[in-house]
Coordinates of all heavy atoms in Angstrom, one line a residue:
C85 N 82.6 4.8 12.7 CA 83.1 5.8 11.8 C 84.2 5.3 10.9 O 84.5 6.0 9.9 CB 83.6 7.0 12.7 SG 82.3 7.7 13.7
P153 N 77.6 6.7 36.6 CA 78.7 6.3 37.4 C 80.0 7.1 37.2 O 80.2 7.4 36.0 CB 78.9 4.8 37.1 CG 77.6 4.4 36.5 CD 77.0 5.6 35.8
T167 N 71.7 6.5 48.8 CA 71.4 7.4 49.9 C 72.4 7.3 51.0 O 72.6 6.2 51.5 CB 70.0 7.0 50.5 OG1 69.0 7.0 49.5 CG2 69.6 7.9 51.6
G189 N 74.4 12.4 55.4 CA 74.2 13.8 54.7 C 75.0 13.9 53.5 O 75.0 15.0 52.8
K209 N 76.1 17.7 53.3 CA 75.2 18.7 53.7 C 75.0 18.7 55.2 O 74.6 17.8 55.8 CB 73.9 18.6 53.0 CG 72.9 19.8 53.2 CD 73.4 20.9 52.4 CE 72.5 22.2 52.5 NZ 73.1 23.4 51.9
K332 N 82.0 39.0 29.5 CA 82.4 37.6 29.4 C 81.7 36.7 30.5 O 81.7 37.2 31.6 CB 83.8 37.3 29.3 CG 84.6 38.2 28.3 CD 84.3 37.8 26.9 CE 85.1 38.6 25.9 NZ 84.8 40.1 25.9
Y336 N 86.9 28.5 27.8 CA 87.1 27.2 27.2 C 88.6 27.1 26.9 O 89.1 27.8 26.0 CB 86.3 27.0 26.0 CG 84.7 27.2 26.2 CD1 84.2 28.4 25.9 CD2 83.9 26.1 26.6 CE1 82.8 28.6 26.1 CE2 82.6 26.3 26.7 CZ 82.0 27.5 26.6 OH 80.6 27.7 26.7
K365 N 99.1 36.5 25.3 CA 98.6 37.7 24.5 C 97.3 37.3 23.9 O 97.0 36.1 23.6 CB 99.6 37.9 23.3 CG 100.9 38.4 23.7 CD 101.9 38.5 22.5 CE 103.3 39.2 22.8 NZ 104.1 39.2 21.6
P449 N 84.1 38.9 8.3 CA 82.9 38.7 9.1 C 83.3 38.3 10.5 O 84.3 37.6 10.7 CB 82.1 37.5 8.5 CG 82.7 37.4 7.0 CD 84.1 38.0 7.1
A482 N 91.7 56.2 25.5 CA 91.3 55.5 26.8 C 92.1 55.9 28.0 O 91.7 56.0 29.1 CB 91.2 54.0 26.5

Side-chain angles (χ1 to χ4, degrees):
C85 299
T167 304
K209 189 67 178 173
K332 307 293 185 294
Y336 305 92
K365 292 181 179 179

